[in-house]
Amino acid sequence: SITKTKIQMPFANSDKYRIHYESVGSGPAIVLLHSFLCDGEMWSPQVKQLAEQYRVINIDIRGHGKSDVADTPLDIYDLVEDVVAVLDQEDIQSAVWAGLSIGGMIALRAAITVPDRVSHLILLDTHAGTETGFKIAKYKTLVLLAKLLGIRPLLNIVAKLMFGQHTRQTKPELVTHWREKFAEMPLASIQHMVNALWARD
């Protein structure tokens, strides 16, 4: 069972960045890629179930969680390379890539650029196209406000973007937990990740 399985939490080096991840379970490999502003903790309930049958690689995307701050401009293909660096370190040739939001965007590009590393895709609440002009303007405005005011005054707006009304009403402790985690994310990471999102191909 999962309680008897040793969880390893190492880092992989990708370019100059350290990418933090959790490795647990055994069997076919599955990579979990969280959404923007979150980290691998988002998948905790799924990890426990999946690790009973799979080798779960739960990654903190660059700039998130315990991975290094995203302190220079990047694109989503750079994030694909980060995941490949983790797979190389774990000696995994091919895996299922499961991604939510930006995690799904990373997985889609992996399927195109390194198809031999992708056995299957699981895509949740993500997008295969370019960003709309309206959302680009909204993202740029939020980043500008965060630079001027800090992230905390924007947390109510961010919570409404990240959680549906039902969750906000029925699980306020969950929303509060993640609001605090959002507030801890470095502004440099937010800015460069937002730029990668709106500039995607």
Side-chain angles (χ1 to χ4, degrees):
S1 71
I2 184 67
T3 56
K4 297 179 182 177
T5 304
K6 183 178 180 182
I7 298 176
Q8 299 176 352
M9 296 186 180
F11 290 85
N13 293 320
S14 178
D15 192 14
K16 66 173 186 174
Y17 296 96
R18 293 189 322 146
I19 306 302
H20 177 263
Y21 64 97
E22 168 188 281
S23 176
V24 59
S26 61
I30 181 168
V31 171
L32 301 180
L33 299 168
H34 57 79
S35 65
F36 175 51
L37 295 179
C38 293
D39 59 30
E41 183 189 342
M42 185 194 81
W43 297 110
S44 294
Q46 288 76 28
V47 168
K48 291 177 181 178
Q49 294 294 318
L50 289 169
E52 294 179 1
Q53 298 182 53
Y54 297 92
R55 182 176 178 187
V56 182
I57 309 297
N58 187 14
I59 296 176
D60 286 345
I61 295 169
R62 186 192 305 185
H64 298 72
K66 296 177 183 175
S67 289
D68 284 348
V69 173
D71 58 356
T72 57
L74 58 93
D75 60 31
I76 295 180
Y77 294 97
D78 294 319
L79 305 177
V80 172
E81 292 178 9
D82 292 348
V83 178
V84 170
V86 171
L87 294 179
D88 286 345
Q89 177 159 300
E90 289 293 309
D91 197 26
I92 296 171
Q93 174 57 39
S94 182
V96 176
W97 291 47
L100 174 70
S101 190
I102 193 172
M105 296 170 195
I106 296 167
L108 284 164
R109 283 155 183 79
I112 295 169
T113 59
V114 286
D116 57 317
R117 311 306 295 268
V118 181
S119 64
H120 299 80
L121 294 174
I122 301 173
L123 305 172
L124 302 98
D125 194 19
T126 191
H127 198 278
T130 56
E131 195 57 275
T132 65
F134 172 76
K135 284 191 176 180
I136 290 172
K138 182 169 71 172
Y139 290 152
K140 288 184 175 182
T141 301
L142 287 173
V143 169
L144 178 61
L145 289 172
K147 285 181 177 179
L148 294 173
L149 306 173
I151 189 67
R152 284 200 174 272
L154 304 176
L155 288 177
N156 284 338
I157 296 171
V158 173
K160 288 182 179 179
L161 292 172
M162 300 295 284
F163 296 98
Q165 182 178 355
H166 178 76
T167 299
R168 294 196 309 271
Q169 290 176 346
T170 61
K171 297 186 178 180
E173 69 290 343
L174 178 69
V175 177
T176 298
H177 173 75
W178 283 102
R179 278 170 52 110
E180 287 305 309
K181 295 196 78 164
F182 299 158
E184 295 171 2
M185 187 166 175
L187 182 57
S189 290
I190 292 173
Q191 179 178 356
H192 291 307
M193 296 299 294
V194 166
N195 287 347
L197 278 168
W198 71 254
R200 69 181 185 271
D201 56 359

